[in-house]
């Protein structure tokens, strides 16, 4: 059964800190792994990682995929209060859907 | 932002009544999905569609049915709502399996 586990479930940091969010997975047939940010509304897309694209970066956010060890990390450097959100990791499932982890709630204090 | 709308955005209903939620897209994406989001469970797939009149069940499909008669519209029906179906419902669209999904604004449903 395809499965996604995110850790930690919650995290509190101060502005300027660097954070690393973890996503480990089990999958029969890997298609993709996606990261989303959710701020009390709909999830918004951040990154998609595939066999041909195992590293992505956008500004202060970056993500890598380790297909051998079956995990991905999302890094946020120089955190800001606007980074406070729930970060979701989704695994491309066999039905074309995404199988989501429970998310990591990040709180950035001023 | 991807052109996805959901209606209604909020609904309060009583146990046993039928409820239909609508998802409308203007992106002409082939795949459409219905998820529910609950505390402690995250996002879970209810049903999905891979084309007009082509639908299939997801992880938590019991008590729900769907229909897709046009590319742009995907309807989710609760035939007889129960309190356990109180949740936030998100529609999502995608060009294909494993590709990025774009989410609608969500519908908050409360079943009393």
């Amino acid at each position: 059964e395809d499965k996604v586990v995110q850790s930690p479930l919650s995290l509190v940091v101060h502005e300027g800190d660097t954070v690393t969010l973890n996503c480990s997975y089990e999958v029969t047939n890997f298609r993709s792994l996606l990261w989303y940010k959710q701020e009390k509304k709909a999830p918004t897309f951040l990154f998609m990682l595939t066999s041909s694209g195992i590293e992505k970066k956008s500004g202060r956010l970056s993500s890598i995929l380790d297909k051998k060890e079956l995990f991905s990390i999302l890094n946020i450097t120089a955190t800001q209060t606007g980074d406070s959100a729930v970060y979701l990791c989704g695994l491309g499932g066999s039905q074309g859907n995404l199988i989501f982890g429970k998310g990591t709630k990040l709180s950035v204090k001023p | 932002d991807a052109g996805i709308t959901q209606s209604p955005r909020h609904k309060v209903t009583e146990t046993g009544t039928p409820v239909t939620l609508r998802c409308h897209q203007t992106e002409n994406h082939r795949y459409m999905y219905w998820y529910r989001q609950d505390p402690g469970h995250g996002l879970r797939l209810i049903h999905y569609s891979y084309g007009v009149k082509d639908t299939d069940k997801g992880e938590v499909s019991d008590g729900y049915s769907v229909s897709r008669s046009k590319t742009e519209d995907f309807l989710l029906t609760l035939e007889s709502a129960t309190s356990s179906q109180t949740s936030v419902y998100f529609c999502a669209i995608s060009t294909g399996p494993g590709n990025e999904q774009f989410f609608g604004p969500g519908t908050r449903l409360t079943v009393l």
Side-chain angles (χ1 to χ4, degrees), chain B residues 11-29:
Chain B
K11 185 169 182 69
V12 179
T13 191
E14 294 189 351
T15 297
T17 59
V19 176
T20 295
L21 308 183
R22 181 182 183 236
C23 177
H24 179 78
Q25 61 147 328
T26 58
E27 305 296 321
N28 202 35
H29 284 0

Side-chain angles (χ1 to χ4, degrees), chain B residues 25-99:
Chain B
Q25 61 147 328
T26 58
E27 305 296 321
N28 202 35
H29 284 0
R30 181 181 171 193
Y31 282 73
M32 298 185 76
Y33 309 84
W34 278 107
Y35 292 91
R36 60 178 289 175
Q37 187 172 39
D38 305 289
H41 289 279
L43 280 157
R44 292 179 293 173
L45 181 70
I46 305 172
H47 281 279
Y48 72 104
S49 170
Y50 46 97
V52 173
K53 294 193 166 78
D54 292 322
T55 65
D56 207 346
K57 296 179 180 180
E59 178 189 357
V60 290
S61 59
D62 286 349
Y64 302 94
S65 62
V66 290
S67 66
R68 189 168 179 202
S69 58
K70 298 186 289 185
T71 298
E72 56 266 35
D73 289 324
F74 192 31
L75 303 180
L76 177 71
T77 298
L78 291 66
E79 300 291 346
S80 177
T82 68
S83 58
S84 65
Q85 294 175 312
T86 292
S87 186
V88 179
Y89 291 85
F90 286 104
C91 173
I93 64 174
S94 173
T95 55
N99 293 345

Side-chain angles (χ1 to χ4, degrees), chain A residues 66-80:
Chain A
D66 188 323
K67 280 194 67 184
K68 182 179 176 186
E69 300 298 331
L70 306 184
F71 74 89
S72 174
I73 60 172
L74 177 67
N75 273 324
I76 308 174
T77 60
T79 52
Q80 303 169 357

